[in-house]
Amino acid sequence: MALGGGVVLLAFVVALCLCATRAEPQLEAGFYSYSCPAAELIVKEEVEKVLQDDPGVGADLLRMHFHDCFVRGCDGSILLNSTKGNTAEKDAQINADLEGFDVIDTIKEKLEAACKGVVSCADILAFASRDSIVHYGGVPYKVPSGRRDGRVSIAADTSILPSPKLGLSELTKLFISKGLSQNDMITLSGAHTVGIAHCDAFSNRLYNGDPTLDPNYAAYLKTQCPPGSNNTVSMDPKTPRKFDNLYYRVILKNQALFTSDQTLVSTQGTATQVKRLAESYNRFQKKFADAIVKMGAIEVLTGSEGEIRADCKLQHSNRAPHTDAMGDLAAAKHTSDLIKTVREMAFRRGEMLLAIVVALCLSPIGTDAQLSVGFYSYSCPKAEVIVKKELEKALKADAGIGADLLRMHFHDCFVRGCDGSILLDSTKKNTAEKDAIPNQTFEEEAFQVIDKAKKKLEKVCKGTVSCADILAFAARDSVVHYGGTFYPVPAGRRDGKISRSSDTSDLPPPTFNLTQLTKMFVSKGLSQDIMITLSGSHTIGVAHCPTFSNRLYNFSRKASTDPTLNPKYAGQLKKECPPRSNNEVDMDPPSPLTFDTSYYRNLLDNRGLFTSDQTLMSTPATAGRVRQFASNSVLFKQKFAAAMVKMGKIGVLTGKQGEIRSYCRVVN
């Protein structure tokens, strides 16, 4: 059957869309945002932990990444162990003194526990290299990822690695063979600003009379490296653990350690580049970040190539190319169900759909321009880690504080949008949101968690991270602490300047019925399904008796107790909440500190605490969703994460709107 011209054109546009999504498909920043959102955080935390015990291992991880990329491409082949029939790269002489393999192994073990079969060893090494640079004071940069692990590692292949004795022309030729320019080579050589070298790598310059080596520095090196010794010396003696541009100033003084370092000033053109980098710290940092990203793309394996090792030391020799999780995820990421659906619709609806497809192609997919995941990757890379650590510290002192922070984020977003207005203190002329009746039960310690995180963030990244984002991060981390699913938090919110207690009338009271709740959520751009999902947050935390005592006493003329409340549960609640008391009870008695589906199972047994809880069972459709969640923990947690992200975008201030408060309780 022949296709009409419009359908042919439509199919062509769809094909173009598919090609566009696959343009430069191999690597992309945020590759694990959905498949393993905590991946980079796990790597970073482990690197930081190791560097506290052994400050020098970061230099080895950086060199390891370089050596990996130059041999067979950035495929993690340097991590593989030798076997009886083969000597691997890591056991070649040039890699014999490298340390840090155990760091990668530890990280991989943690990632396998969190996201089995997803994150490659090659990407772990690239992340660890970046995090080492940042630890030493370098500029953070986004690491495009999606590398797959190689299956071949041969010691003899390391002959391609540049020797410290190479001259400029030999070095340039080698780097160009890898797709890197001479400028890239000069920039990447700046990595020698950290780490150590063994004497045998440069002793030829000491005892064969190299005239390009400063005599005084040569004399000093001879004291550290007597003939025949294999001691170690710092490659940058003045600041060996600081990622700065002193390396280039050392070269200009003829005090470079290797021949391959000093040769960088052997021509006027390269010497000029060295001088520019020596003069400008910022120039060096920016160019180095660009160069290492470029290096990290050398001959990468992607898609169904290679494999995702379960253990970075061992290859999966008997594993089929398409059976691991990353292969499936890589395919899904670029040929999603959405595009499949569009392609199917193309043949059903012809020309009418063409404009829609073109619009989809031209629109940035998933940009949500105002907020973005990893918003602070450059400006304050430790932001989310700092918030998480402060929260964990508070949770050790008060296990219930996370429930307050989760509820606080909800209350913030529903009043004037997610702008941190709930954090502002009242003034003589104004009663703020936090002092309104619905918010008076928040523990002061919950606000202090935000204050402490903000104080630390101001020291590290002054005037950068908003209080609204801190609250969003803390809410997410609270969910995870109690057993919920981790989700990436799109950030970039700005802080509001207005906080009025009267505006809290927008908050849904616990006495609302289904119709009232649905109407209020819809007014905030949230569906009834999202309302049911977000109500699941009542699986943690406590409630005060006045919020539900109307269900226990004098409910109506016909019944003193709400007939939709389980009689045994009502009897238990009356014991804990005698008339006019303000006691606290757990909202989910079976598991008050576990983020699970017990809340929904309670509703099925008429044990919802609030009217606004039990009303979710009042129609067949909503009761059906409750039953689904009650029987499927994975479904609930996934939908809750998505609902939180959507709620977190309500009425946000971005760009030049609002401000970034210096102190979350007071406007600037």
Side-chain angles (χ1 to χ4, degrees):
M1 179 172 133
L3 292 173
V7 177
V8 172
L9 179 58
L10 177 59
F12 176 68
V13 172
V14 172
L16 285 178
C17 286
L18 290 171
C19 290
T21 61
R22 289 183 178 275
E24 296 298 336
Q26 292 97 339
L27 304 178
E28 60 180 299
F31 184 83
Y32 299 108
S33 293
Y34 293 95
S35 57
C36 191
E40 295 191 48
L41 183 62
I42 289 171
V43 175
K44 186 175 189 176
E45 289 183 341
E46 194 59 36
V47 168
E48 287 292 337
K49 188 188 304 181
V50 171
L51 285 168
Q52 288 177 4
D53 296 331
D54 182 359
V57 78
D60 274 357
L61 290 169
L62 175 55
R63 183 167 155 237
M64 193 185 296
H65 180 41
F66 178 91
H67 284 207
D68 182 47
C69 290
F70 261 63
V71 179
R72 308 189 70 86
C74 310
D75 67 347
S77 55
I78 195 171
L79 305 170
L80 286 168
N81 279 350
S82 296
T83 63
K84 288 182 179 180
N86 177 63
T87 303
E89 294 170 34
K90 68 163 57 171
D91 292 321
Q93 185 175 355
I94 199 165
N95 292 326
D97 62 334
L98 278 179
E99 297 181 2
F101 292 102
D102 57 327
V103 178
I104 304 300
D105 291 337
T106 301
I107 293 169
K108 180 61 175 175
E109 186 177 340
K110 291 189 175 182
L111 284 168
E112 284 297 295
C115 320
K116 187 174 179 63
V118 173
V119 184
S120 70
C121 301
D123 277 343
I124 294 172
L125 182 53
F127 294 144
S129 176
R130 184 267 314 276
D131 296 335
S132 298
I133 290 169
V134 173
H135 174 86
Y136 291 132
V139 171
Y141 56 91
K142 291 185 178 181
V143 174
S145 51
R147 299 167 186 81
R148 305 264 295 172
D149 296 322
R151 296 186 172 108
V152 179
S153 183
I154 303 170
D157 291 340
T158 61
S159 61
I160 199 170
L161 289 170
S163 160
K165 300 174 183 179
L166 289 184
L168 184 63
S169 61
E170 296 167 303
L171 281 173
T172 302
K173 183 178 180 180
L174 180 54
F175 273 72
I176 287 176
S177 74
K178 296 297 179 182
L180 302 173
S181 68
Q182 188 179 69
N183 275 351
D184 292 329
M185 177 194 74
I186 295 170
T187 304
L188 289 170
S189 297
H192 289 172
T193 192
V194 292
I196 59 174
H198 286 261
C199 294
D200 60 1
F202 58 88
S203 59
N204 64 304
R205 303 186 69 203
L206 303 182
Y207 299 106
N208 294 331
D210 187 341
T212 66
L213 182 61
D214 177 86
N216 292 330
Y217 188 47
Y220 164 75
L221 289 174
K222 286 179 179 179
T223 64
Q224 304 298 307
C225 297
S229 76
N230 198 26
N231 298 338
T232 59
V233 297
S234 296
M235 288 196 281
D236 176 358
K238 290 188 177 180
T239 55
R241 289 175 183 165
K242 186 175 181 182
F243 201 83
D244 55 22
N245 60 341
L246 187 61
Y247 163 81
Y248 297 101
R249 297 199 290 273
V250 166
I251 293 177
L252 295 175
K253 294 179 180 179
N254 289 343
Q255 294 180 347
L257 203 56
F258 300 149
T259 299
S260 59
D261 292 325
Q262 197 60 51
T263 196
L264 300 185
V265 291
S266 60
T267 70
Q268 185 175 351
T270 56
T272 298
Q273 177 71 359
V274 169
K275 288 174 185 175
R276 286 177 179 170
L277 295 174
E279 291 168 357
S280 175
Y281 169 81
N282 290 335
R283 179 184 177 84
F284 164 59
Q285 295 278 16
K286 184 181 183 304
K287 284 182 70 67
F288 188 90
D290 291 342
I292 199 166
V293 167
K294 188 175 179 181
M295 183 196 80
I298 294 175
E299 300 171 30
V300 293
L301 302 175
T302 60
S304 61
E305 300 172 307
E307 64 182 5
I308 302 297
R309 294 182 214 138
D311 181 342
C312 292
K313 301 188 295 293
L314 307 171
Q315 73 170 79
H316 292 174
S317 56
N318 59 349
R319 193 170 182 179
H322 296 283
T323 57
D324 61 83
M326 183 58 78
D328 296 337
L329 286 164
K333 197 172 185 68
H334 298 292
T335 55
S336 66
D337 291 339
L338 171 63
I339 294 178
K340 289 178 183 176
T341 301
V342 169
R343 188 167 55 189
E344 291 167 3
M345 289 173 66
F347 292 96
R348 292 200 304 266
R349 302 186 64 174
E351 289 98 328
M352 190 173 71
L353 188 60
L354 179 58
I356 299 174
V357 177
V358 172
L360 284 172
C361 289
L362 295 177
S363 300
I365 297 174
T367 52
D368 285 317
Q370 296 177 327
L371 303 180
S372 61
V373 174
F375 184 83
Y376 299 108
S377 294
Y378 290 98
S379 57
C380 192
K382 294 185 178 180
E384 296 189 47
V385 175
I386 289 171
V387 174
K388 183 180 180 182
K389 287 183 177 179
E390 200 57 45
L391 172 66
E392 290 293 341
K393 194 185 303 179
L395 284 164
K396 288 179 181 178
D398 181 354
I401 205 76
D404 267 6
L405 288 164
L406 175 56
R407 183 167 151 244
M408 194 185 293
H409 180 42
F410 177 91
H411 283 210
D412 182 46
C413 291
F414 261 62
V415 179
R416 307 190 67 84
C418 312
D419 67 347
S421 54
I422 195 172
L423 305 171
L424 287 169
D425 282 346
S426 296
T427 64
K428 290 182 179 179
K429 297 182 179 180
N430 178 63
T431 303
E433 293 171 34
K434 67 166 53 174
D435 292 319
I437 291 176
N439 295 327
Q440 287 177 359
T441 57
F442 285 130
E443 298 286 344
E444 171 61 19
E445 287 76 11
F447 291 103
Q448 290 175 7
V449 172
I450 305 300
D451 292 339
K452 290 175 181 177
K454 179 63 173 174
K455 185 176 181 180
K456 290 190 176 180
L457 285 166
E458 285 297 296
K459 289 181 180 179
V460 176
C461 322
K462 187 174 178 64
T464 301
V465 184
S466 69
C467 301
D469 277 343
I470 294 172
L471 181 54
F473 294 145
R476 183 268 313 279
D477 295 336
S478 297
V479 171
V480 175
H481 174 85
Y482 293 126
T485 296
F486 178 94
Y487 55 92
V489 173
R493 299 167 186 81
R494 305 265 294 175
D495 296 322
K497 299 178 181 179
I498 299 172
S499 182
R500 295 187 294 248
S501 63
S502 57
D503 291 338
T504 59
S505 59
D506 275 352
L507 292 171
T511 55
F512 262 17
N513 62 30
L514 184 64
T515 301
Q516 294 168 311
L517 283 173
T518 301
K519 184 178 179 181
M520 178 168 280
F521 273 72
V522 168
S523 74
K524 300 296 180 182
L526 303 176
S527 67
Q528 186 182 74
D529 194 57
I530 288 177
M531 176 196 74
I532 298 169
T533 305
L534 290 174
S535 296
S537 64
H538 290 174
T539 190
I540 54 174
V542 298
H544 288 257
C545 295
T547 58
F548 57 87
S549 59
N550 66 304
R551 302 186 70 200
L552 304 179
Y553 306 104
N554 302 316
F555 178 72
S556 68
R557 292 180 180 179
K558 295 182 178 180
S560 61
T561 303
D562 186 343
T564 66
L565 184 60
N566 181 294
K568 290 184 179 179
Y569 187 42
Q572 176 188 334
L573 289 174
K574 287 179 178 179
K575 291 179 181 178
E576 297 182 54
C577 295
R580 292 179 294 281
S581 75
N582 195 30
N583 297 339
E584 294 178 353
V585 299
D586 291 326
M587 287 198 282
D588 178 6
S591 53
L593 294 176
T594 303
F595 201 84
D596 56 20
T597 56
S598 176
Y599 165 80
Y600 296 103
R601 293 194 295 275
N602 291 340
L603 298 185
L604 296 177
D605 196 27
N606 287 345
R607 290 174 177 266
L609 192 60
F610 301 145
T611 299
S612 58
D613 292 324
Q614 198 59 50
T615 194
L616 301 185
M617 293 293 294
S618 60
T619 72
T622 56
R625 175 56 82 184
V626 169
R627 290 190 184 93
Q628 280 186 313
F629 285 156
S631 61
N632 192 330
S633 174
V634 173
L635 175 66
F636 162 60
K637 290 180 180 181
Q638 288 177 343
K639 287 187 69 70
F640 186 87
M644 285 292 289
V645 169
K646 187 163 186 179
M647 184 194 77
K649 296 175 183 176
I650 295 175
V652 293
L653 303 175
T654 60
K656 295 182 179 179
Q657 299 170 313
E659 63 182 6
I660 303 295
R661 290 182 217 140
S662 298
Y663 180 39
C664 292
R665 293 175 182 258
V666 182
V667 296
N668 292 343

